[in-house]
Amino acid sequence: MNPSTLTPSSSYTHRSLLLPSPLLNPPLTQRRRFRVSYPRCSSSSDADRTVPAPPPRAPKELKGIEVLVDKLSPPARLATSAVFLAGAVAAGYGLGSRFGGSRNAAIGGALALGAAGGAAAYALNAAAPQVAAVNLHNYVVGFDDPAKLKKEDIEAIANKYGVNKQDEAFKAEIADIYAEFVSRVLPPGGEELRGDEVDKIANFKNSLGIDDPDAAAMHLEIGRRFYRQRLEVGDRDANIEQRRAFQKLIYVSNLVFGEASSFLLPWKRVFKVTDSQVEVAIRDNAQRLYSSKLKSVGRDIDEGQLVTLREAQRLYRLSDELAENLFKEHARKLAEENISVALGTLKSRTRAVPGVNQAVEELDSLLALNNLLISFRNHSDVDRFARGVGPISLGGGVYDGDRNIEDLKLLYRAYVSDALSGGRMEDNKLAALNQLRNIFGFGKREAEAVSLDVTSKVYRKRLGQAVSSGELEVADSKAKFLQNLCDELHFDPQKASELHEEIYRQKLQQLVAGGELSEEDVAALLRLRVMLCIPQQTVEAVHSDICGSLFEKVVKEAIASGVDGYDADIKESVRKSAHGLRLTRETAMTIAGKAVRKIFINYIKRARAAGSRTESAKELKKMIAFNTLVVTELVEDIKGESADVSTEEPVKEVDITQTVDEDWDSLQTLKKIRPDKELIARMGKTGQTEITLKDDLPERDRTDLYKTYLLFCLTGEVKRVPFGAQITTKKDDSEYVLLNQLGGILGLTGKEIVEVHRGLAEQAFRQQAEVILADGQLTKARVEQLNNLQKQVGLPQEYAQKIIKSITTTKMAAAIETAVTQGRLNIKQIRELKESNVDLDSMISGSLREMLFKKTVDGIFSSGTGEFDGEEVYEKIPADLNINKEKARIVVSDLAKTKLSNSLIQAVALLRVRNHAGVVSSLNDLLACDKAVPSEQLSWEVSEELADLYSIYLKSDPTPEKLSRLQYLLGITDSTAAALQERGDRLLNTAEEEEFVF
């Protein structure tokens, strides 16, 4: 069955939930006759549908012999039966004697009429149960409420007619009465259970004295009636009602019969419903009953109501989880009512202060209910209370989700405002706010944001009053005064400090609007700072931000004026701004440095994007000129220094004397960046080195830029002339002075500059040396040539020797690796190279050395000598090749095992082609492998071939040790070996002759 049919909204095309199948009615022999008056529902909607009451039961009339039985008591009925029987026998005997004339005829007549009399007597007694049933029916008709029927009344009627309650007719009438009562008690499909149905049915069942199996059969029959009525009505709404009616029947029936319902009410077998569908029916109806019970619970809930709810939950067979969810949902709805009223009041257009108070009262009512439920949860008898008592949550309700979060924030704000209306925050209000935050489901940040907004306004108002009245200024301890104010409002002192900073910032913005601060302005700011206890570092940060932005504007205008526009007016503007805004020298330099570095970065970007080294150098020269003519003036104006600079002042250069070794004095390019006095006088003013790009560019980028200009100094400017020719313009040493200034702008240290010059010299020396040492051979003539090159580039001797060694080693390493790969280098040659002090570890990779070891061992196993020197293979060769000895043993073991089996196969193959010398060589290889890794006895399918191998090896005049070991490996017994030694090669010759004959 489709699980979707478990809900009333299921499609009509599916079989209705828990309705019986028409093909599953029990056999007629198992069905009992009864009459059930059940109202039929129209197909109109539930709102318009009216359910007529069942028609009254009509009394029954007695017919025929039943009238006589009704008038006779049981003794009289028995006496009458006896009289009928006796009279019939006597009459039969008389008639037989009279008309038959013999004794036999008389007896026959007596028997015939006696049988008829007996049948009449039986009919008289057999009608008694039916008469009793009719009287019981008429007796019940006389009651307005069948529940008033008592067990004693039924027993009196049964005793009156002398019948047993288990008699078929009487028992069927009792079942009819019970079924009709159950049908009357169960509400129609559109109505909900009232909760008293189970008690009514159980009490009436006990009053009737009907057995549980018979009563259960009536419940099943009522279920079949629901299905038949569904077929008669046939529309969707009626189908839903019948489904709900059947669900209620299952639920009530299971409660009536309790634990016995599992075998008395086989819903699954009779109606083809699943266990889960039965559970859904029980769960849904239990929820509806419990929900209706919760409707009586209000905000004044007490312990007695909670105990009653717990008992009702158990009676309704509702799980604790569902009961808890329903109770929480009910509490949430009560809370939502308060919230809706409060919101309606706040959002009203005619809202005034009393309206806000009314909203707060609603929230107080909500908090009171929440506190009451929390107290119940902490009660000692909480196990006796309804499940779900505890704090209220709006989760899952109409106010859950982001759509209504602003409405809840509005309420929370109103409550905070009311709590602070007296100018302070009481502890009980603070606790109430925490509970309200939990109820609304606010995060800590959301609640703090609302509270902070309201509290900040109140704090600012209280602070303004304290300043205006002079109360704060005359306070002995202003910090203590402000702390007390924060404590009264439960305001975070850190937030208060931020508010003080904001107030100071606003005041500073007002005073600095004219472009500078007067002495009166400074005094006012100092007074405000003292009153608000603002730290010095905060004041400096605020001044740096506000005054710094104004100063930055002036600096940018000065920089934008360019090399030719930095005149006296610009200088005065910078000086006035730097000192009038009361900025510290460090702050002013930081602001100016930020703007200047942006210009430097633009120059560097253009230098990188240039198409040639010459163009890049031109952009770098422009940056150096900008630094000398503009940035240097700007720094002097900020510091307030004189613009007149003596031409005798030494050049500000990068200090490399402390980091340069004496050996570096040979570097010609490094010497040139230290200009003499004559060059200094000719170059004029030098640039500043306080604003650099050290923190803006990585070290590699800065050294690359320096190297670019250094190469320009070395090569000079290249110019194109007609006909495609190029002319190199010779540069004088002044370019090296600019190179020194460039190093200062880039923020390079002396060590970094030295590394650039050394790297360039090494690069030049290496390029020429690789040409000279192309074949890796170092001759006397080439050594002289390299010495001249070393002096020419100015590279120290030790670095030149390292480069020469690197080149020769690399060339030799390439040749050695090629020889190893091609198999032209053996272990003997390796030892000769090591004796010549050649570092093979750096020339031959580890994998190639391992491959060389494997080839060497493979050669030993393939030499055909049968010899294996363990010390040579395991100790000397690994040491010569510098490989791990344990790893070498593993290689030897794996190779020996593989080579041993292959040697046997190869020996047999050579035997078959009569290559006796090859057989002996292969067997020697086998013995060498066995000597390296001792083997077990070998097996072969053709034992004669093993004997032939032994015979051939025997003829090669081997040593006794080898012959004995081979005999063991081939599995040759001593007797066979002796026979083979005696017979010589006869076995082999015989085998050859047989093969020839074949």
Side-chain angles (χ1 to χ4, degrees):
M1 184 176 292
N2 192 339
S4 63
T5 59
L6 297 177
T7 59
S9 61
S10 303
S11 173
Y12 181 72
T13 59
H14 295 83
R15 182 175 298 279
S16 301
L17 170 66
L18 298 177
L19 283 179
S21 170
L23 301 178
L24 297 171
N25 292 336
L28 295 176
T29 57
Q30 299 178 4
R31 299 177 61 184
R32 299 187 181 278
R33 176 185 58 83
F34 72 102
R35 296 177 299 278
V36 179
S37 299
Y38 187 81
R40 288 183 58 183
C41 301
S42 64
S43 59
S44 61
S45 64
D46 292 343
D48 301 329
R49 183 181 296 113
T50 58
V51 181
R57 291 168 59 91
K60 296 181 180 180
E61 295 181 358
L62 298 175
K63 300 178 182 180
I65 196 173
E66 295 176 351
V67 178
L68 177 61
V69 174
D70 181 53
K71 296 181 183 228
L72 296 175
S73 62
R77 188 172 67 250
L78 292 175
T80 303
S81 299
V83 170
F84 280 165
L85 180 60
V89 171
Y93 189 84
L95 290 175
S97 298
R98 181 177 179 182
F99 293 104
S102 66
R103 181 179 176 81
N104 291 333
I107 293 174
L111 291 174
L113 290 181
Y122 174 79
L124 185 65
N125 288 314
Q130 179 62 28
V131 173
V134 172
N135 277 274
L136 177 59
H137 174 85
N138 293 335
Y139 182 77
V140 175
V141 169
F143 285 98
D144 296 334
D145 184 7
K148 297 178 181 179
L149 183 64
K150 298 181 180 179
K151 186 176 183 180
E152 292 78 8
D153 298 336
I154 299 175
E155 292 178 352
I157 295 175
N159 294 333
K160 176 181 177 182
Y161 295 100
V163 299
N164 193 328
K165 289 175 60 177
Q166 297 300 322
D167 187 85
E168 184 70 23
F170 196 77
K171 186 177 180 181
E173 184 61 36
I174 293 177
D176 286 350
I177 295 172
Y178 178 77
E180 182 177 352
F181 182 80
V182 172
S183 299
R184 285 176 175 270
V185 170
L186 289 176
E191 298 180 11
E192 298 295 342
L193 293 172
R194 297 178 296 276
D196 58 350
E197 291 84 1
V198 176
D199 291 336
K200 287 183 178 181
I201 293 174
N203 293 334
F204 188 71
K205 180 170 71 68
N206 294 332
S207 298
L208 290 179
I210 186 172
D211 295 335
D212 283 350
D214 296 330
M218 294 302 101
H219 284 257
L220 295 175
E221 193 64 30
I222 294 173
R224 295 187 182 94
R225 178 60 60 90
F226 287 150
Y227 180 75
R228 287 193 291 270
Q229 288 183 348
R230 183 181 70 87
L231 293 180
E232 293 174 3
V233 177
D235 63 8
R236 177 184 177 85
D237 294 335
N239 182 24
I240 295 175
E241 285 203 5
Q242 296 301 326
R243 178 169 50 235
R244 294 190 61 186
F246 190 63
Q247 286 179 327
K248 287 182 283 188
L249 173 65
I250 289 179
Y251 175 66
V252 172
S253 302
N254 281 26
L255 294 184
V256 168
F257 295 103
E259 298 295 333
S261 61
S262 59
F263 57 87
L264 290 177
L265 299 170
W267 306 109
K268 182 176 180 181
R269 176 175 59 81
V270 176
F271 299 106
K272 288 298 182 182
V273 294
T274 63
D275 293 336
S276 61
Q277 290 173 322
V278 174
E279 291 175 1
V280 168
I282 296 174
R283 182 197 65 193
D284 291 350
N285 285 279
Q287 284 181 296
R288 294 190 187 100
L289 280 176
Y290 195 73
S291 297
S292 63
K293 193 76 174 178
L294 285 173
K295 291 179 180 178
S296 61
V297 176
R299 291 178 174 80
D300 55 349
I301 186 173
D302 55 20
E303 297 178 7
Q305 288 178 305
L306 293 176
V307 173
T308 303
L309 285 173
R310 177 62 173 166
E311 294 174 351
Q313 175 205 338
R314 292 172 175 171
L315 178 63
Y316 299 153
R317 292 177 60 182
L318 184 65
S319 65
D320 289 348
E321 181 181 0
L322 294 176
E324 180 178 349
N325 293 337
L326 290 174
F327 189 91
K328 289 183 177 180
E329 182 181 357
H330 180 71
R332 187 189 69 235
K333 289 181 179 178
L334 293 177
E336 289 172 351
E337 292 177 3
N338 292 120
I339 293 174
S340 299
V341 174
L343 280 175
T345 304
L346 287 179
K347 292 184 176 181
S348 175
R349 294 185 178 180
T350 59
R351 178 174 63 85
V353 176
V356 176
N357 294 336
Q358 183 180 355
V360 173
E361 290 176 0
E362 291 292 333
L363 295 179
D364 286 333
S365 175
L366 169 60
L367 291 172
L369 175 61
N370 188 63
N371 289 329
L372 182 61
L373 293 177
I374 292 176
S375 67
F376 287 142
R377 186 186 65 175
N378 300 326
H379 199 278
S380 58
D381 294 334
V382 66
D383 293 337
R384 298 176 57 241
F385 294 163
R387 294 293 179 262
V389 292
I392 299 173
S393 174
L394 299 180
V398 295
Y399 292 104
D400 184 20
D402 297 337
R403 185 177 61 180
N404 298 313
I405 189 68
E406 297 301 326
D407 291 340
L408 297 179
K409 286 183 179 179
L410 180 64
L411 290 177
Y412 192 78
R413 181 184 296 274
Y415 202 87
V416 175
S417 301
D418 180 76
L420 293 172
S421 58
R424 60 186 302 116
M425 175 70 75
E426 302 296 339
D427 292 338
N428 61 336
K429 290 292 184 180
L430 189 63
L433 282 171
N434 290 331
Q435 288 193 20
L436 197 63
R437 175 175 68 86
N438 294 333
I439 294 173
F440 288 169
F442 287 164
K444 186 176 181 181
R445 292 183 178 179
E446 292 175 318
E448 287 181 352
V450 176
S451 299
L452 180 62
D453 187 25
V454 178
T455 310
S456 298
K457 294 178 181 178
V458 177
Y459 181 83
R460 186 186 285 268
K461 182 179 179 181
R462 291 281 305 275
L463 186 63
Q465 293 173 353
V467 173
S468 301
S469 62
E471 184 180 3
L472 177 59
E473 190 170 8
V474 300
D476 294 336
S477 175
K478 297 173 176 55
K480 185 177 181 180
F481 182 90
L482 296 174
Q483 182 63 44
N484 291 336
L485 183 58
C486 290
D487 293 340
E488 291 178 1
L489 298 176
H490 285 274
F491 191 47
D492 185 6
Q494 180 63 33
K495 300 296 182 183
S497 299
E498 295 175 1
L499 185 60
H500 297 163
E501 180 182 346
E502 182 182 353
I503 294 173
Y504 186 87
R505 181 182 295 272
Q506 292 174 353
K507 183 69 174 178
L508 178 60
Q509 287 177 341
Q510 294 175 359
L511 297 178
V512 82
E516 60 180 339
L517 293 174
S518 63
E519 295 297 333
E520 293 79 7
D521 296 338
V522 173
L525 289 173
L526 179 61
R527 173 175 172 270
L528 181 62
R529 172 198 165 191
V530 172
M531 283 194 300
L532 299 182
C533 301
I534 302 176
Q536 177 63 29
Q537 59 184 9
T538 303
V539 172
E540 292 178 358
V542 172
H543 278 260
S544 176
D545 184 20
I546 297 176
C547 299
S549 60
L550 297 176
F551 181 69
E552 182 180 6
K553 182 179 180 181
V554 173
V555 169
K556 288 182 177 180
E557 290 177 354
I559 293 174
S561 63
V563 176
D564 300 327
Y566 200 88
D567 52 13
D569 294 337
I570 297 294
K571 292 174 65 67
E572 181 63 25
S573 175
V574 172
R575 287 176 177 268
K576 177 181 177 182
S577 180
H579 302 286
L581 293 175
R582 312 287 174 160
L583 291 172
T584 63
R585 176 174 293 184
E586 292 75 11
T587 303
M589 286 298 297
T590 300
I591 296 171
K594 183 179 179 181
V596 169
R597 289 197 303 273
K598 288 183 179 180
I599 304 298
F600 284 164
I601 292 295
N602 290 333
Y603 278 115
I604 288 175
K605 287 181 179 179
R606 291 196 293 269
R608 287 175 174 174
S612 63
R613 182 188 303 162
T614 301
E615 297 299 326
S616 297
K618 288 181 178 179
E619 294 296 333
L620 293 177
K621 288 179 69 174
K622 292 179 182 178
M623 181 177 69
I624 297 170
F626 172 76
N627 179 67
T628 303
L629 301 177
V630 177
V631 180
T632 303
E633 295 288 340
L634 179 66
V635 172
E636 291 174 353
D637 293 335
I638 292 174
K639 292 181 178 181
E641 297 174 352
S642 174
D644 299 330
V645 180
S646 175
T647 57
E648 299 298 327
E649 183 181 358
V651 175
K652 182 73 172 181
E653 63 181 46
V654 179
D655 186 12
I656 63 173
T657 58
Q658 297 179 359
T659 59
V660 180
D661 192 85
E662 293 181 357
D663 293 338
W664 291 105
D665 290 339
S666 59
L667 287 173
Q668 301 300 321
T669 57
L670 193 59
K671 288 182 178 180
K672 292 181 179 180
I673 66 173
R674 304 174 186 174
D676 53 16
K677 294 183 178 181
E678 181 181 354
L679 184 58
I680 292 175
R682 184 160 55 89
M683 291 294 296
K685 187 176 182 180
T686 60
Q688 61 83 32
T689 55
E690 295 187 34
I691 301 176
T692 68
L693 295 173
K694 182 177 181 180
D695 298 328
D696 297 86
L697 294 176
E699 179 183 347
R700 181 171 181 177
D701 292 349
R702 291 184 285 120
T703 54
D704 287 345
L705 290 169
Y706 186 88
K707 184 177 180 180
T708 299
Y709 201 86
L710 175 57
L711 292 173
F712 173 76
C713 294
L714 291 172
T715 60
E717 182 177 350
V718 178
K719 293 184 178 180
R720 293 184 177 276
V721 295
F723 306 105
Q726 295 181 352
I727 298 178
T728 300
T729 303
K730 186 177 180 180
K731 293 293 182 180
D732 56 20
D733 291 342
S734 62
E735 295 291 348
Y736 289 95
V737 177
L738 298 180
L739 177 64
N740 187 21
Q741 295 181 10
L742 177 63
I745 296 173
L746 295 174
L748 293 175
T749 63
K751 182 179 180 181
E752 291 170 346
I753 291 176
V754 168
E755 288 296 323
V756 174
H757 286 264
R758 180 187 63 81
L760 193 62
E762 283 187 352
Q763 181 181 355
F765 182 81
R766 180 179 292 274
Q767 289 177 350
Q768 296 296 327
E770 286 182 347
V771 176
I772 297 172
L773 300 174
D775 56 356
Q777 299 298 324
L778 190 61
T779 62
K780 182 178 180 180
R782 290 178 178 179
V783 169
E784 294 178 357
Q785 189 177 2
L786 290 172
N787 290 335
N788 294 333
L789 178 62
Q790 178 255 326
K791 294 178 181 179
Q792 181 180 354
V793 299
L795 188 66
Q797 180 69 25
E798 58 177 298
Y799 288 92
Q801 291 300 322
K802 287 181 181 180
I803 295 174
I804 295 171
K805 184 177 180 180
S806 173
I807 295 174
T808 55
T809 302
T810 303
K811 300 291 185 180
M812 186 181 297
I816 291 175
E817 285 199 2
T818 302
V820 172
T821 305
Q822 296 177 355
R824 294 184 288 105
L825 191 67
N826 54 32
I827 189 65
K828 182 179 179 181
Q829 294 170 329
I830 290 293
R831 288 170 177 168
E832 292 175 354
L833 289 173
K834 292 190 70 174
E835 291 175 358
S836 302
N837 297 324
V838 177
D839 186 8
L840 294 177
D841 294 343
S842 61
M843 296 184 181
I844 306 176
S845 63
S847 59
L848 282 177
R849 281 183 273 121
E850 291 176 0
M851 183 182 72
L852 181 59
F853 176 78
K854 189 173 182 180
K855 286 184 177 181
T856 303
V857 175
D858 185 71
I860 294 174
F861 289 151
S862 302
S863 63
T865 61
E867 299 297 331
F868 179 82
D869 188 352
E871 182 180 1
E872 173 74 12
V873 174
Y874 291 134
E875 299 294 336
K876 295 181 179 179
I877 298 178
D880 292 336
L881 295 176
N882 194 18
I883 61 176
N884 185 271
K885 295 182 179 181
E886 294 298 327
K887 192 173 183 181
R889 285 182 175 273
I890 296 174
V891 172
V892 172
S893 177
D894 294 341
L895 194 60
K897 292 176 182 179
T898 304
K899 193 70 176 177
L900 187 141
S901 59
N902 292 339
S903 297
L904 178 60
I905 296 172
Q906 186 177 6
V908 173
L910 294 173
L911 171 67
R912 293 175 180 176
V913 297
R914 303 189 186 92
N915 186 350
H916 294 178
V919 170
V920 173
S921 179
S922 296
L923 292 177
N924 280 329
D925 292 341
L926 184 145
L927 291 172
C929 294
D930 175 70
K931 192 173 182 180
V933 179
S935 173
E936 298 293 334
Q937 194 175 72
L938 301 176
S939 61
W940 191 256
E941 295 179 355
V942 184
S943 59
E944 290 80 0
E945 290 182 335
L946 296 178
D948 292 343
L949 293 176
Y950 182 79
S951 298
I952 293 174
Y953 194 76
L954 180 63
K955 293 176 59 179
S956 65
D957 194 18
T959 62
E961 293 81 6
K962 292 183 179 180
L963 185 62
S964 175
R965 186 60 183 170
L966 181 64
Q967 176 185 341
Y968 167 75
L969 292 175
L970 298 181
I972 306 298
T973 62
D974 293 341
S975 58
T976 304
L980 290 174
Q981 289 178 358
E982 292 177 1
R983 296 170 60 184
D985 59 345
R986 277 182 284 174
L987 290 175
L988 181 60
N989 295 333
T990 303
E992 293 177 357
E993 292 174 0
E994 289 177 354
E995 183 179 358
F996 177 77
V997 172
F998 177 77

